[in-house]
Each structure stands twice: as structure tokens, then as C-alpha cells.
Amino acid sequence: MGNMHCPAEDSARLAAVARVICPFPNYTPHPHFTNMLSINSSHHLKEHYTAVQSSLTSKQLEDFTQGLRTTFGREGKVTLGGVGVVALSLAVLFDTLAKTVKGELVSDSEPIPGLFVKNPRGYYPPHVYTISKYLRLVPHIANNPTRMKQETERCIKHLDADTQVLNQMGEKLQHTTEDITVINFMLVYQVTLSLFVHLNRINNGTKDDVNRFRQTQVDNKGEGILNFNCDPEIADTEFLAEVEKSDNYTKESLQKCKPKITAVGERSDPESWLLHVAGMELSNFILLNFGAVILSFSGDLLTQREDFDLRTNALGTWSADQFLKFQHSAVYPQEN
């Protein structure tokens, strides 16, 4: 699958043409995975917090802030809230509360909307349900180290049990090798690694403790079955015609992204260009995104211990409270 000699920007250019003719999934993960589980998670969380609040009306912002105060109290401090899975859970909470105050219905039992990639047939690996349940729970226990440790350990064990269930169903189970599900498995692995990092933060563990998990293999043997709702032969004809009408960059991308050189040194067209282009996009997701995730889990990430202050970063009620408190202390200093 894919072509190691084809730069990501070239395969993306071809994919943009191919998706118009025969839509196939966008394999780009939700930015929360890239942002909230990175070394710059606290910065990204502050930006997201501000963006969500800015999207609300005054009344919605008041209800939104009240929802946060109900969960975290007037102090608004979240232990380790600026890093890892806690930052991810806060980002999810912000999104959920924002939808709620806007009058949208949000299920609290299904996979978190938009976070993982939805299969057209509605299938998610069981791990997605387990992680969704955990992320919804985290805000309610984040300031309780004992509960956080217990629930994180429980989630890791549950994820392992989910894997065992799939293994018992057989490696040839179609759902587990579909392209979208392969992506979800990659995201599950990323979150699971973050769970180990989080648990080791709580236990004051070392990088070696996390490496024990990094050395395990992703529980998926295939690269992904690519499914399309069109006739590849007809679609290929239309695809090549569109490329021919495109700019020179797109034409050059087609030449760069042909299959690997054959034994006799000649280039050959793929059996299906649509499948080839989609395969390159999926391979790029695995190699670029997943590879970067593994490399990012270093000792620096493990040593992060940053709390998140909802009150300081609030645009609404909390900020107003602070201003009033400051005014009061200036007029009546003897009360402090």
C-alpha cells in the first residue's frame, strides 16, 4: 500500500481530485489528539478554551461557566489539567458543554461525537466506547489523585480486555481491518500510551516504565481494507481525465506517485488509481501521524505536571468575580 517515494503533499493533491469523483474518508485525525496529547498541550488547551467561550452568546457563556463551576468548584483548578489525557478530557468537556448550552442534544453513552472517525456502517472498536467513558469521567475525578489512579488503571485493563475480545473473534474479522477502523486503532493506541504516561505521572514513574508499553505491538495486522461506493474502473478514467485538466503541480504529482519501480526499471500504472491514492493517504496517516506520536513520548512529556486554571482563563463570570474581588479589597483593605 502506498508509495514511499511519494511526498505527502503530492498524495494529498491527488486525493483532493479523487475525492470529488469518488468520496473516501478523510484520514486526518481530530486536532484534539495532536494538540492535547502533545508537549504543548497546555498552550493548545488555553487556545481551545478561549475559542469555545468566544463562540457563545453572553447567556450561553454564563451557562457554560456555571457548568464548569458545578464540576470544579469556585476555584476552578484542575490537577494536571494542562497535560495529557486530562487536557484531552477538558477539551471534550468544553465542546460538550458548548453544544449543550446551545440547545444541542449530546449523548453521554455513545462514542464522543467527532473525536474518533465514524464508520459509515456505524461500527467503532469497543476500545472507543471504553475511552469515551473514561474521558467523560475524568473531569469529575481529576482533583482526586486516588480516584484518578484507580480509574486510569481500570481503563487500561478494560482496553486490554477489549483487545482480547476482538482476538477471540478472529483476526479475519472484517471490521477490524477496514481503513477507518485502522485509524481508530491508531488513535486508541495513542490514547492508551497517554494513559500510561498519566499513570506514571501520578506514580512518579520514569521513562523506562512508559517504554514497556511503547515496545508492544499495535493490535492490527493489516493496513486496511479500502471501501468505495463507485466503480473503480469508471472512476479511474474520470480521475485521470481530471488530472490531465489540472495544473502542472497535480500532473507532476501523478508521475511522482506512481507505484514503485519494477524489477526491469519501468514504472507501471496501478490496477486502480483510486485505491492507490486512498492507500497512500492511509499510509501517510500511519507513518507521519502515528510515527510522530511515538517519538513525542519522551522524558520531557513524562515530567510535565501542569495544572489548568479555568478561572484565570475564563472570559465570563469567573473573570468578573476576580475583578469585583480586587475592587473590594482596594476599598476595604482591612477585611483582607
Side-chain angles (χ1 to χ4, degrees):
M1 179 186 294
N3 183 348
M4 293 299 291
H5 303 288
C6 178
E9 59 269 21
D10 289 298
S11 66
R13 191 175 290 119
L14 295 176
V17 176
R19 284 195 174 99
V20 173
I21 297 168
C22 185
F24 59 89
N26 185 338
Y27 302 126
T28 304
H30 195 289
H32 284 348
F33 288 105
T34 304
N35 295 336
M36 306 309 163
L37 302 181
S38 72
I39 196 69
N40 298 314
S41 56
S42 182
H43 169 73
H44 291 300
L45 184 61
K46 290 177 183 177
E47 286 193 333
H48 185 61
Y49 187 34
T50 300
V52 170
Q53 293 177 96
S54 299
S55 71
L56 305 175
T57 66
S58 297
K59 179 60 170 67
Q60 291 170 348
L61 180 57
E62 181 181 341
D63 294 341
F64 174 85
T65 306
Q66 181 57 45
L68 293 177
R69 290 175 64 171
T70 299
T71 302
F72 298 104
R74 290 181 62 85
E75 292 302 316
K77 294 289 182 67
V78 187
T79 304
L80 298 179
V83 295
V85 290
V86 185
L88 178 60
S89 74
L90 288 181
V92 168
L93 178 63
F94 299 157
D95 294 339
T96 302
L97 279 178
K99 291 179 181 178
T100 301
V101 300
K102 290 177 182 179
E104 300 179 30
L105 295 177
V106 182
S107 171
D108 59 359
S109 60
E110 297 297 317
I112 295 170
L115 191 61
F116 291 89
V117 186
K118 187 175 183 179
N119 186 300
R121 282 176 287 280
Y123 175 80
Y124 290 98
H127 309 66
V128 170
Y129 292 86
T130 299
I131 290 173
S132 294
K133 182 178 179 180
Y134 172 82
L135 291 176
R136 288 188 175 108
L137 174 64
V138 165
H140 303 281
I141 62 173
N143 293 327
N144 185 332
T146 301
R147 282 291 308 281
M148 275 300 303
K149 178 180 178 180
Q150 292 173 343
E151 294 299 336
T152 302
E153 291 175 340
R154 182 178 288 111
C155 183
I156 291 173
K157 290 180 181 179
H158 204 310
L159 290 170
D160 183 60
D162 291 337
T163 298
Q164 297 305 317
V165 169
L166 287 184
N167 288 341
Q168 291 171 5
M169 296 175 72
E171 292 183 359
K172 299 300 182 181
L173 182 66
Q174 180 182 0
H175 280 315
T176 65
T177 55
E178 289 180 336
D179 48 358
I180 293 176
T181 306
V182 168
I183 293 175
N184 281 331
F185 274 131
M186 297 293 104
L187 298 177
V188 164
Y189 184 87
Q190 182 178 353
V191 175
T192 307
L193 181 50
S194 297
L195 288 170
F196 271 85
V197 172
H198 183 57
L199 188 60
N200 277 279
R201 283 193 185 107
I202 297 173
N203 294 333
N204 293 315
T206 66
K207 183 179 177 182
D208 290 338
D209 296 320
V210 178
N211 282 338
R212 288 188 295 105
F213 176 75
R214 286 181 56 180
Q215 293 167 0
T216 63
Q217 299 295 315
V218 178
D219 189 57
N220 186 73
K221 304 299 189 295
E223 288 184 294
I225 297 173
L226 304 170
N227 297 293
F228 295 94
N229 296 317
C230 62
D231 184 326
E233 184 174 345
I234 296 175
D236 275 0
T237 300
E238 296 179 9
F239 170 76
L240 292 173
E242 285 299 317
V243 170
E244 187 60 33
K245 293 187 295 183
S246 300
D247 55 43
N248 289 332
Y249 293 109
T250 305
K251 294 177 184 178
E252 291 173 2
S253 294
L254 185 72
Q255 297 305 314
K256 292 179 184 178
C257 296
K258 283 188 175 183
K260 295 178 181 179
I261 298 176
T262 63
V264 294
E266 297 178 351
R267 290 184 179 274
S268 60
D269 288 341
E271 184 176 343
S272 167
W273 267 108
L274 266 295
L275 292 176
H276 181 62
V277 171
M280 287 189 295
E281 284 290 274
L282 182 57
S283 292
N284 284 336
F285 166 80
I286 295 172
L287 293 173
L288 299 179
N289 291 285
F290 184 62
V293 166
I294 295 301
L295 291 175
S296 72
F297 281 91
S298 62
D300 291 337
L301 195 63
L302 182 60
T303 57
Q304 287 182 296
R305 294 287 194 282
E306 189 169 350
D307 297 341
F308 191 77
D309 193 331
L310 292 162
R311 180 173 182 143
T312 299
N313 294 288
L315 301 182
T317 307
W318 268 324
S319 293
D321 282 352
Q322 284 186 312
F323 179 70
L324 291 174
K325 183 178 180 180
F326 171 80
Q327 281 189 318
H328 186 82
S329 63
V331 177
Y332 303 105
Q334 69 276 10
E335 294 184 12
N336 296 307

